[in-house]
Amino acid sequence: MNLKICFRLSIIFFAFIEKAYTLSKNEDSPIKNFDAVIVGSGPMGCTFARKLIEAGYKVAMVDVGASESNPPGQHFINAYRYQVDSNAFKNSVKAHMHLLSVPTSDDAYPDTLDQISTFENGTIHLNQNPDQDPQLNLRAEAASYCWWHGYSLEWRNAKTSKKSSELPLAVRYEKGDNPDEIPFNFRTGPHDILRKENFENKNFVLIEQHLAQILHPKIDNTSIIDGLIIKNLLKRGQNEILIKTKVFIICAGAVNTPQLLYNSMIKNSNWDIEIPALGKNLCEQTMTTCQIVLSKEIVKKMLEDPVWSEDVKKHKEAYPNDPIPIPFGVPSPHCSIPYTDKRPWYCEVFGGSSGTSYVDNRVTLGFNCFDAPHNSEELNNRVEFSKKNKDIYGMPQPMFYVRTSEKDAEINHKMFSDMTQTALSMGGFLPGNEPKFLPPGSALHMTGTVRMGTSKETSVVDTNLCVHGFRNFTLELMASSQQVKAITANPTLTSVALAIKSANDIIKKLKEGAFDF
Ligand SMILES: Cc1cc2nc3c(=O)[nH]c(=O)nc-3n(C[C@H](O)[C@H](O)[C@H](O)COP(=O)(O)OP(=O)(O)OC[C@H]3O[C@@H](n4cnc5c(N)ncnc54)[C@H](O)[C@@H]3O)c2cc1C
């Protein structure tokens, strides 16, 4: 062992002993003898967990959020209340979003507070993020911090030659015999990915409301991650636990994954593997939206369709005073207009869920369009993390540096105009939901921050999602952040496919003993 290693050892030794002590004191700690730890219980974390458990390995999953559904991991919308009241669901989604980068505001500053005191206090957003340039911010970019929140996995056939197509959703549709009964739309969430039998498997443990804080490289071989410090958020005092295992898989989202890496780099004096592309190449889509109230002509035409005539007749007989002749319980439409080189954006048109209780959702349509940004690399679009300011969980505060290229600005203008014209051909606008650009970050489809590639200079992970320079650190990259360029469809299914490939690689290496250091 050379001098450098001895020096590192002396600095880190006591810290490790202390953490290990915390763990050993915690006799009933479930975090022992696992093959892999996964940070994040979203679709990616659950994909890895399922693959590893089914291959016979032991998995500990850590998430900062709390279980909020029964069974855990259900898509929220699967609760009866949201099935029958999609407006309530829409508002509940908003309530679960935590804005990642709220810049300091000069206005409305409470003069009873010492300005400096707010730096340390995450509950007061004023001055939480003083170094964020508001002009370069993605002010709507959000994390859910919510265990097992679940969003629909959806995909579409990008190669379709049709101008529009049904938007296939990972949704189970159930309709009873009674035509008046509202049919259920059960959406896929992390629970469906992991599966009940794996969740209940003795080889799986879920550690909720624990924050993954710092990954430690091995002292005498920094290409191996040796431990992860997690913090029990519900405990005061000795609340940090050291997890030691063979493989470390981080699936914490496009901002929180690089945040955990960054925190680990600045907190470890022996971290000597550079990750120059971390947080770079950030792509986020511009999103335009509106809500349409269908015109009488369109409703009339729709109802003249022989497919519906029998149901419409029955509905009119049962509800002679209903001014809308559309039967209750008709599944809401979901269509997509695919991305093409000529029209470089994609659109979703979907029924229901106006978000306002005064409108009958049978006659409203949501209309969203998403671009596929170019030039993010040239513009040096990125997320960085503050050394001095912390977010509300005590992790380094994210700061965005994002510009729109002239080319994209031009495309976005066309996208907006196209959406408006198309919407007008279907009806009027729901008051308050006229066509608009949503604030930057609203698409919540960020990619690129832990990009996949072959060069360490321009990417963070290799094609198996292992962090360049590491042997057991499957930065399993999170979510959609590993995708190479901007996306031309919603990201989750592609991310899951990449996670399966990466999990297969990990399983192969576990079988070969490649992680028995
Ligand atoms: C409202 C909304 C609607 C969406 N709709 C769609 C859609 O229709 N189709 C689609 O393809 N995509 C959609 N998306 C995007 C989709 O949700 C993401 O692509 C997907 O959730 C990413 O999965 P993930 O597992 O990588 O990350 P996430 O699902 O974000 O999960 C990350 C998990 O990590 C946890 N975490 C973060 N930091 C830490 C830490 N330090 N320690 C411990 N735990 C941590 C979080 O609590 C979270 O549970 C939507 C997103 C939102 C917000």
Side-chain angles (χ1 to χ4, degrees):
M1 192 181 292
N2 64 28
L3 267 179
K4 191 177 161 202
I5 294 170
C6 281
F7 178 65
R8 280 178 185 158
L9 245 178
S10 61
I11 297 176
I12 298 161
F13 182 71
F14 289 106
F16 255 75
I17 291 295
E18 192 195 330
K19 308 291 183 195
Y21 172 76
T22 309
L23 179 63
S24 64
K25 287 284 282 177
N26 191 357
E27 290 303 333
D28 56 359
S29 167
I31 318 161
K32 283 178 185 162
N33 307 320
F34 280 84
D35 297 298
V37 61
I38 297 172
V39 175
S41 65
M44 292 321 106
C46 286
T47 304
F48 279 105
R50 172 170 167 182
K51 291 287 297 178
L52 287 163
I53 298 164
E54 287 179 353
Y57 294 102
K58 295 183 84 175
V59 173
M61 179 181 271
V62 180
D63 203 292
V64 74
S67 165
E68 296 199 26
S69 68
N70 186 14
Q74 280 268 23
H75 198 295
F76 283 167
I77 207 169
N78 296 350
Y80 180 79
R81 181 187 171 206
Y82 297 134
Q83 289 287 320
V84 294
D85 185 354
S86 57
N87 294 328
F89 171 68
K90 196 169 179 189
N91 290 311
S92 100
V93 172
K94 275 188 206 155
H96 281 90
M97 294 288 100
H98 166 78
L99 295 177
L100 286 161
S101 177
V102 183
T104 296
S105 163
D106 288 336
D107 40 68
Y109 183 73
D111 58 8
T112 50
L113 277 176
D114 174 2
Q115 191 164 357
I116 299 297
S117 70
T118 61
F119 270 89
E120 297 298 320
N121 188 343
T123 59
I124 298 172
H125 279 240
L126 287 169
N127 268 344
Q128 182 182 315
N129 192 4
D131 299 329
Q132 173 67 60
D133 180 342
Q135 297 286 329
L136 303 179
N137 196 17
L138 293 180
R139 66 187 165 92
E141 197 69 54
S144 62
Y145 289 136
C146 164
W147 185 59
W148 299 104
H149 52 86
Y151 296 107
S152 57
L153 288 178
E154 66 195 21
W155 66 94
R156 60 172 182 70
N157 179 6
K159 287 192 182 147
T160 180
S161 56
K162 291 184 203 160
K163 283 195 178 142
S164 75
S165 55
E166 194 177 333
L167 177 68
L169 297 168
V171 171
R172 188 164 47 87
Y173 176 71
E174 267 181 29
K175 189 168 174 6
D177 294 337
N178 181 349
D180 289 342
E181 258 179 2
I182 299 224
F184 290 136
N185 282 293
F186 292 113
R187 288 202 207 166
T188 300
H191 174 81
D192 306 283
I193 297 174
L194 181 56
R195 296 175 88 109
K196 185 172 182 280
E197 61 270 26
N198 294 318
F199 178 69
E200 290 169 357
N201 192 304
K202 63 178 174 22
N203 283 345
F204 177 72
V205 65
L206 178 90
I207 308 155
E208 59 173 275
Q209 303 204 63
H210 281 66
L211 175 76
Q213 287 181 309
I214 307 168
L215 290 145
H216 285 287
K218 225 167 178 249
I219 292 158
D220 56 355
N221 186 345
T222 56
S223 69
I224 295 165
I225 295 291
D226 191 35
L228 168 70
I229 303 281
I230 61 170
K231 179 178 170 184
N232 182 346
L233 298 173
L234 295 180
K235 201 173 166 208
R236 295 289 164 263
Q238 274 200 339
N239 57 5
E240 290 183 345
I241 300 167
L242 171 68
I243 303 185
K244 291 200 156 229
T245 185
K246 293 178 186 171
V247 187
F248 295 81
I249 300 172
I250 314 302
C251 306
V255 173
N256 297 123
T257 294
Q259 180 189 52
L260 175 56
L261 255 81
Y262 179 80
N263 199 40
S264 306
M265 286 156 88
I266 59 172
K267 295 277 170 62
N268 281 284
S269 54
N270 72 325
W271 189 297
D272 60 5
I273 294 183
E274 286 180 19
I275 312 180
L278 190 69
K280 305 253 179 82
N281 310 301
L282 187 159
C283 280
E284 180 55 294
Q285 296 170 304
T286 297
M287 186 176 171
T288 58
T289 189
C290 65
Q291 295 260 353
I292 306 159
V293 183
L294 290 173
S295 68
K296 279 184 187 162
E297 291 72 37
I298 295 251
V299 174
K300 194 164 165 263
K301 245 191 223 168
M302 208 165 72
L303 299 176
E304 282 165 6
D305 189 320
V307 172
W308 298 111
S309 53
E310 192 54 32
D311 284 345
V312 169
K313 197 171 148 230
K314 276 190 200 155
H315 180 80
K316 278 185 176 161
E317 280 164 14
Y319 302 95
N321 296 327
D322 185 355
I324 301 171
I326 300 174
F328 300 121
V330 169
S332 57
H334 281 81
C335 303
S336 75
I337 307 171
Y339 176 100
T340 63
D341 290 340
K342 214 168 146 203
R343 268 178 80 267
W345 58 86
Y346 68 94
C347 315
E348 296 169 351
V349 184
F350 50 91
S353 181
S354 64
T356 49
S357 52
Y358 61 87
V359 181
D360 193 311
N361 283 332
R362 287 175 295 168
V363 287
T364 60
L365 285 178
F367 194 164
N368 296 333
C369 301
F370 304 85
D371 79 336
H374 303 79
N375 311 93
S376 57
E377 201 163 347
E378 293 82 342
L379 294 167
N380 195 15
N381 285 347
R382 64 196 187 279
V383 56
E384 286 186 3
F385 300 94
S386 173
K387 269 199 173 127
K388 60 178 196 291
N389 303 312
K390 293 179 177 159
D391 69 11
I392 60 169
Y393 285 89
M395 296 290 274
Q397 172 64 53
M399 295 170 297
F400 295 111
Y401 297 84
V402 179
R403 293 176 203 277
T404 304
S405 68
E406 278 183 30
K407 182 177 175 184
D408 285 331
E410 204 180 301
I411 290 172
N412 293 340
H413 182 76
K414 287 186 186 150
M415 176 168 86
F416 185 83
S417 149
D418 185 70
M419 180 188 76
T420 308
Q421 293 305 317
T422 312
L424 283 170
S425 69
M426 291 190 269
F429 298 115
L430 186 66
N433 293 278
E434 296 82 4
K436 57 181 167 261
F437 280 99
L438 286 180
S442 297
L444 299 164
H445 289 163
M446 187 185 286
T447 55
T449 52
V450 286
R451 183 156 74 158
M452 178 170 72
T454 49
S455 150
K456 186 182 166 170
E457 299 312 313
T458 56
S459 62
V460 176
V461 293
D462 65 18
T463 51
N464 283 318
L465 308 187
C466 187
V467 183
H468 292 308
F470 287 89
R471 289 166 63 190
N472 65 336
F473 184 17
T474 291
L475 202 200
E476 290 320 350
L477 299 267
M478 56 72 88
S480 30
S481 60
Q482 70 278 61
Q483 291 172 13
V484 177
K485 287 267 179 192
I487 45 174
T488 57
N490 287 349
T492 311
L493 195 70
T494 309
S495 302
V496 168
L498 289 168
I500 291 172
K501 177 174 185 279
S502 175
N504 286 339
D505 180 61
I506 293 171
I507 291 166
K508 182 170 163 277
K509 287 179 179 156
L510 277 166
K511 280 187 187 149
E512 290 165 353
F515 301 128
D516 299 333
F517 304 115

